[in-house]
Amino acid sequence: MEKANIDLSKYNALSPFELKDILIKAASSRENRLMLNAGRGNPNFLATTPRQAFFQLGLFASKESELHLSYLEKDVGGLPNIKGIEQRFLSFLDKYNDEPGIGLLRKIISYVGDQMGISPSEFLQESVEGILGCNYPVPSRALRLTEHVIRAYLSKEMLGNKVSAEDYDIFPVEGGTAAMAYIFNSLKENQLIAPGDKVAIGMPTFTPYFEIPTLKDYDLQIVNINADPELNWQYPHEELDKLCDPDIKIFFVVNPGNPDSVRMSDESLDYIARLVRTKRPDLFILTDDVYGTFADDFTSLFAVCPHNTALVYSYSKYFGATGWRLGAIAMHKHNVLDAKIKVLSAEKQQLLDERYASLTTTPRDLAFIDRMVADSRAVALNHTAGLSTPQQVQMAIFSLFALIDINDSYKQVLKRIIRRRYTALYQQLGLPVPMDETSADYYTLLDFETIATAFYGAEFGQWVLNNIQPNELLYHIADQTGIVMLPASGFGSPRPGGRVSLANLNEYDYANIGRTLRAQVESSYALYQASRK
């Protein structure tokens, strides 16, 4: 392998998502060669039917608006009227019966009434006003019926219906990243974290999760809870036992993991639940479960530690909706953060009373999730807080699409797509296809030492580890083959390697990646043999 024609040492501190741009530039540097970007996790699949339903609902909403005021001026409509809206909607469905998305809308209006006990007329009024975006979000935290729908979806997909949907609240936000920003900010504003506090992070993980706490905004001390690659990225008990430290305020975890794409085992879930129950009832857990829908038999930590956990979910990956910026925070109505706020010192309570005094006459009764809503708009602008209503309507339609799909047909299609790609990569690489019931397979980590050892033995594997810098190898692969991977080390992985997303290329592309990486192994082995002469 030739030395990289660029000094990569100065980029060691960069996030892998920034290093990606350097690798893309190298991969794109040659004419008449296809660049294969296996770095970013943006899927190249998306849910079409719920989008079609969204746009059809938008057409109906426009017609509803035209019933009012349009007789006065061209291009001017009015606010929709709930009176007779259900019958007008059914007539609209009949008129456009064969159009894409109409079938789902017909199922939705039946489902919300028959299965969820929601008035179809009230649901239609909220959805029509929401998709028109003609009113501020009211309530600010979540549209009333939309929250009901999102809770039902999360209960089914994340919680196995182990937590009653009526026992927790939802805050729809601009994707999972916004959720994290809001949570961190409100933890600080409500004096629940302070500079120097300890925060435990399940490692490896999505890079921003160990970058945010070290910012001067928070200046937290990180304690790594290290997953073991030899245990298929499960957390050993001795690592989880670090959480017994009473100085650790928060445990952040991505489940299934990023970059390892492995869900937490039932044993680990039970161990954490028992630890929280017996030793750390004050521990706050933040779980990012965006990849949960890709895993078999998934259960969130929120399901086993509901009073101690905030669940963050994003619609971005499962529905192919990264550009929509759709996410949600779920918190139990009786949670550890609300309890902690109530026992703050008198001085801190007074400061928080002053902060939230413009919202309520009893600020000490304000739940943490509602404080997040206010904090997201610097408190004073709380009356204009909340996710845009068209976004909330799309979330509701995505959720209902999944709820109505009792056979999980859409989910099974996505799993087949990803697992075919996964199989093609490893088969063409020439290695056995790793199989484990906890793997979601959205990403895979290619461990350079392990791959080298599998082909030519432990001595060659050690030589690769000692002689080839991971970023140089990734750059060389990008420069010579046009394949972009992200460095595993950038996610806190203990071993050098590359993260490959199985979501954003086609099956034949992953087969090509496998073949090309096999050729790179052969090239490195030739260098190894030459070095021994």
PDB file of all heavy atoms in Angstrom, residues 30-47:
ATOM      1  N   ARG A  30     -10.785  10.855  -9.479  1.00  0.00           N
ATOM      2  CA  ARG A  30     -10.421  10.243 -10.763  1.00  0.00           C
ATOM      3  C   ARG A  30     -11.625  10.187 -11.687  1.00  0.00           C
ATOM      4  O   ARG A  30     -12.744   9.899 -11.277  1.00  0.00           O
ATOM      5  CB  ARG A  30      -9.869   8.835 -10.540  1.00  0.00           C
ATOM      6  CG  ARG A  30      -8.716   8.837  -9.538  1.00  0.00           C
ATOM      7  CD  ARG A  30      -7.965   7.554  -9.527  1.00  0.00           C
ATOM      8  NE  ARG A  30      -6.945   7.573  -8.492  1.00  0.00           N
ATOM      9  CZ  ARG A  30      -5.962   6.688  -8.398  1.00  0.00           C
ATOM     10  NH1 ARG A  30      -5.871   5.717  -9.292  1.00  0.00           N
ATOM     11  NH2 ARG A  30      -5.074   6.772  -7.423  1.00  0.00           N
ATOM     12  N   GLU A  31     -11.367  10.482 -12.937  1.00  0.00           N
ATOM     13  CA  GLU A  31     -12.437  10.465 -13.928  1.00  0.00           C
ATOM     14  C   GLU A  31     -12.834   9.029 -14.261  1.00  0.00           C
ATOM     15  O   GLU A  31     -12.049   8.089 -14.108  1.00  0.00           O
ATOM     16  CB  GLU A  31     -11.987  11.183 -15.206  1.00  0.00           C
ATOM     17  CG  GLU A  31     -11.726  12.678 -15.008  1.00  0.00           C
ATOM     18  CD  GLU A  31     -11.345  13.354 -16.306  1.00  0.00           C
ATOM     19  OE1 GLU A  31     -11.351  12.667 -17.357  1.00  0.00           O
ATOM     20  OE2 GLU A  31     -11.033  14.558 -16.274  1.00  0.00           O
ATOM     21  N   ASN A  32     -14.073   8.908 -14.724  1.00  0.00           N
ATOM     22  CA  ASN A  32     -14.583   7.617 -15.202  1.00  0.00           C
ATOM     23  C   ASN A  32     -14.529   6.529 -14.129  1.00  0.00           C
ATOM     24  O   ASN A  32     -14.284   5.363 -14.414  1.00  0.00           O
ATOM     25  CB  ASN A  32     -13.803   7.149 -16.442  1.00  0.00           C
ATOM     26  CG  ASN A  32     -13.878   8.162 -17.569  1.00  0.00           C
ATOM     27  OD1 ASN A  32     -14.938   8.739 -17.820  1.00  0.00           O
ATOM     28  ND2 ASN A  32     -12.750   8.397 -18.228  1.00  0.00           N
ATOM     29  N   ARG A  33     -14.728   6.942 -12.863  1.00  0.00           N
ATOM     30  CA  ARG A  33     -14.785   5.969 -11.780  1.00  0.00           C
ATOM     31  C   ARG A  33     -15.939   6.329 -10.855  1.00  0.00           C
ATOM     32  O   ARG A  33     -16.116   7.493 -10.495  1.00  0.00           O
ATOM     33  CB  ARG A  33     -13.475   5.934 -10.992  1.00  0.00           C
ATOM     34  CG  ARG A  33     -13.470   4.834  -9.930  1.00  0.00           C
ATOM     35  CD  ARG A  33     -12.218   4.871  -9.083  1.00  0.00           C
ATOM     36  NE  ARG A  33     -12.167   6.044  -8.231  1.00  0.00           N
ATOM     37  CZ  ARG A  33     -11.128   6.373  -7.467  1.00  0.00           C
ATOM     38  NH1 ARG A  33     -10.048   5.610  -7.489  1.00  0.00           N
ATOM     39  NH2 ARG A  33     -11.157   7.451  -6.716  1.00  0.00           N
ATOM     40  N   LEU A  34     -16.703   5.322 -10.478  1.00  0.00           N
ATOM     41  CA  LEU A  34     -17.846   5.540  -9.610  1.00  0.00           C
ATOM     42  C   LEU A  34     -17.389   5.658  -8.161  1.00  0.00           C
ATOM     43  O   LEU A  34     -16.640   4.825  -7.659  1.00  0.00           O
ATOM     44  CB  LEU A  34     -18.836   4.379  -9.741  1.00  0.00           C
ATOM     45  CG  LEU A  34     -20.104   4.450  -8.879  1.00  0.00           C
ATOM     46  CD1 LEU A  34     -20.981   5.613  -9.314  1.00  0.00           C
ATOM     47  CD2 LEU A  34     -20.879   3.139  -8.990  1.00  0.00           C
ATOM     48  N   MET A  35     -17.802   6.730  -7.498  1.00  0.00           N
ATOM     49  CA  MET A  35     -17.520   6.890  -6.087  1.00  0.00           C
ATOM     50  C   MET A  35     -18.630   6.211  -5.294  1.00  0.00           C
ATOM     51  O   MET A  35     -19.810   6.467  -5.518  1.00  0.00           O
ATOM     52  CB  MET A  35     -17.438   8.377  -5.720  1.00  0.00           C
ATOM     53  CG  MET A  35     -16.952   8.640  -4.293  1.00  0.00           C
ATOM     54  SD  MET A  35     -18.273   8.741  -3.079  1.00  0.00           S
ATOM     55  CE  MET A  35     -19.003  10.315  -3.487  1.00  0.00           C
ATOM     56  N   LEU A  36     -18.264   5.307  -4.374  1.00  0.00           N
ATOM     57  CA  LEU A  36     -19.231   4.595  -3.547  1.00  0.00           C
ATOM     58  C   LEU A  36     -19.113   5.108  -2.112  1.00  0.00           C
ATOM     59  O   LEU A  36     -18.149   4.789  -1.405  1.00  0.00           O
ATOM     60  CB  LEU A  36     -18.982   3.078  -3.594  1.00  0.00           C
ATOM     61  CG  LEU A  36     -19.141   2.406  -4.954  1.00  0.00           C
ATOM     62  CD1 LEU A  36     -18.823   0.915  -4.857  1.00  0.00           C
ATOM     63  CD2 LEU A  36     -20.536   2.611  -5.509  1.00  0.00           C
ATOM     64  N   ASN A  37     -20.071   5.938  -1.699  1.00  0.00           N
ATOM     65  CA  ASN A  37     -20.029   6.519  -0.365  1.00  0.00           C
ATOM     66  C   ASN A  37     -20.803   5.630   0.599  1.00  0.00           C
ATOM     67  O   ASN A  37     -22.023   5.718   0.715  1.00  0.00           O
ATOM     68  CB  ASN A  37     -20.618   7.935  -0.379  1.00  0.00           C
ATOM     69  CG  ASN A  37     -20.534   8.596   0.982  1.00  0.00           C
ATOM     70  OD1 ASN A  37     -19.975   8.045   1.920  1.00  0.00           O
ATOM     71  ND2 ASN A  37     -21.082   9.786   1.084  1.00  0.00           N
ATOM     72  N   ALA A  38     -20.070   4.766   1.290  1.00  0.00           N
ATOM     73  CA  ALA A  38     -20.682   3.887   2.290  1.00  0.00           C
ATOM     74  C   ALA A  38     -20.534   4.481   3.685  1.00  0.00           C
ATOM     75  O   ALA A  38     -20.659   3.776   4.678  1.00  0.00           O
ATOM     76  CB  ALA A  38     -20.036   2.503   2.234  1.00  0.00           C
ATOM     77  N   GLY A  39     -20.260   5.783   3.735  1.00  0.00           N
ATOM     78  CA  GLY A  39     -20.009   6.419   5.012  1.00  0.00           C
ATOM     79  C   GLY A  39     -21.258   6.855   5.746  1.00  0.00           C
ATOM     80  O   GLY A  39     -21.490   6.449   6.876  1.00  0.00           O
ATOM     81  N   ARG A  40     -22.071   7.666   5.122  1.00  0.00           N
ATOM     82  CA  ARG A  40     -23.191   8.253   5.842  1.00  0.00           C
ATOM     83  C   ARG A  40     -24.385   7.309   5.875  1.00  0.00           C
ATOM     84  O   ARG A  40     -24.615   6.537   4.955  1.00  0.00           O
ATOM     85  CB  ARG A  40     -23.599   9.578   5.199  1.00  0.00           C
ATOM     86  CG  ARG A  40     -24.475  10.416   6.120  1.00  0.00           C
ATOM     87  CD  ARG A  40     -24.563  11.856   5.683  1.00  0.00           C
ATOM     88  NE  ARG A  40     -25.177  12.673   6.734  1.00  0.00           N
ATOM     89  CZ  ARG A  40     -25.496  13.936   6.582  1.00  0.00           C
ATOM     90  NH1 ARG A  40     -25.263  14.551   5.452  1.00  0.00           N
ATOM     91  NH2 ARG A  40     -26.043  14.611   7.583  1.00  0.00           N
ATOM     92  N   GLY A  41     -25.182   7.417   6.940  1.00  0.00           N
ATOM     93  CA  GLY A  41     -26.295   6.497   7.146  1.00  0.00           C
ATOM     94  C   GLY A  41     -27.605   6.928   6.539  1.00  0.00           C
ATOM     95  O   GLY A  41     -28.650   6.345   6.867  1.00  0.00           O
ATOM     96  N   ASN A  42     -27.597   7.929   5.653  1.00  0.00           N
ATOM     97  CA  ASN A  42     -28.848   8.355   5.012  1.00  0.00           C
ATOM     98  C   ASN A  42     -29.345   7.245   4.085  1.00  0.00           C
ATOM     99  O   ASN A  42     -28.663   6.868   3.139  1.00  0.00           O
ATOM    100  CB  ASN A  42     -28.605   9.622   4.200  1.00  0.00           C
ATOM    101  CG  ASN A  42     -29.885  10.330   3.823  1.00  0.00           C
ATOM    102  OD1 ASN A  42     -30.208  11.373   4.358  1.00  0.00           O
ATOM    103  ND2 ASN A  42     -30.639   9.760   2.892  1.00  0.00           N
ATOM    104  N   PRO A  43     -30.525   6.677   4.335  1.00  0.00           N
ATOM    105  CA  PRO A  43     -30.974   5.537   3.522  1.00  0.00           C
ATOM    106  C   PRO A  43     -31.344   5.953   2.103  1.00  0.00           C
ATOM    107  O   PRO A  43     -31.744   7.099   1.861  1.00  0.00           O
ATOM    108  CB  PRO A  43     -32.204   5.030   4.281  1.00  0.00           C
ATOM    109  CG  PRO A  43     -32.717   6.221   5.012  1.00  0.00           C
ATOM    110  CD  PRO A  43     -31.506   7.029   5.390  1.00  0.00           C
ATOM    111  N   ASN A  44     -31.196   5.004   1.183  1.00  0.00           N
ATOM    112  CA  ASN A  44     -31.642   5.262  -0.191  1.00  0.00           C
ATOM    113  C   ASN A  44     -33.006   4.624  -0.460  1.00  0.00           C
ATOM    114  O   ASN A  44     -33.417   4.437  -1.593  1.00  0.00           O
ATOM    115  CB  ASN A  44     -30.615   4.758  -1.219  1.00  0.00           C
ATOM    116  CG  ASN A  44     -30.433   3.243  -1.206  1.00  0.00           C
ATOM    117  OD1 ASN A  44     -30.956   2.554  -0.331  1.00  0.00           O
ATOM    118  ND2 ASN A  44     -29.695   2.731  -2.177  1.00  0.00           N
ATOM    119  N   PHE A  45     -33.724   4.300   0.625  1.00  0.00           N
ATOM    120  CA  PHE A  45     -35.101   3.813   0.524  1.00  0.00           C
ATOM    121  C   PHE A  45     -35.983   4.732   1.361  1.00  0.00           C
ATOM    122  O   PHE A  45     -35.505   5.411   2.278  1.00  0.00           O
ATOM    123  CB  PHE A  45     -35.213   2.364   1.018  1.00  0.00           C
ATOM    124  CG  PHE A  45     -34.550   2.111   2.347  1.00  0.00           C
ATOM    125  CD1 PHE A  45     -35.125   2.524   3.544  1.00  0.00           C
ATOM    126  CD2 PHE A  45     -33.326   1.455   2.406  1.00  0.00           C
ATOM    127  CE1 PHE A  45     -34.510   2.299   4.766  1.00  0.00           C
ATOM    128  CE2 PHE A  45     -32.696   1.224   3.626  1.00  0.00           C
ATOM    129  CZ  PHE A  45     -33.292   1.651   4.806  1.00  0.00           C
ATOM    130  N   LEU A  46     -37.250   4.742   1.027  1.00  0.00           N
ATOM    131  CA  LEU A  46     -38.186   5.564   1.809  1.00  0.00           C
ATOM    132  C   LEU A  46     -39.593   5.002   1.671  1.00  0.00           C
ATOM    133  O   LEU A  46     -39.897   4.243   0.745  1.00  0.00           O
ATOM    134  CB  LEU A  46     -38.136   7.031   1.367  1.00  0.00           C
ATOM    135  CG  LEU A  46     -38.345   7.365  -0.118  1.00  0.00           C
ATOM    136  CD1 LEU A  46     -39.821   7.502  -0.451  1.00  0.00           C
ATOM    137  CD2 LEU A  46     -37.633   8.661  -0.476  1.00  0.00           C
ATOM    138  N   ALA A  47     -40.419   5.391   2.626  1.00  0.00           N
ATOM    139  CA  ALA A  47     -41.817   4.936   2.631  1.00  0.00           C
ATOM    140  C   ALA A  47     -42.640   5.828   1.709  1.00  0.00           C
ATOM    141  O   ALA A  47     -42.798   7.025   1.976  1.00  0.00           O
ATOM    142  CB  ALA A  47     -42.369   4.987   4.054  1.00  0.00           C
TER     143      ALA A  47
END
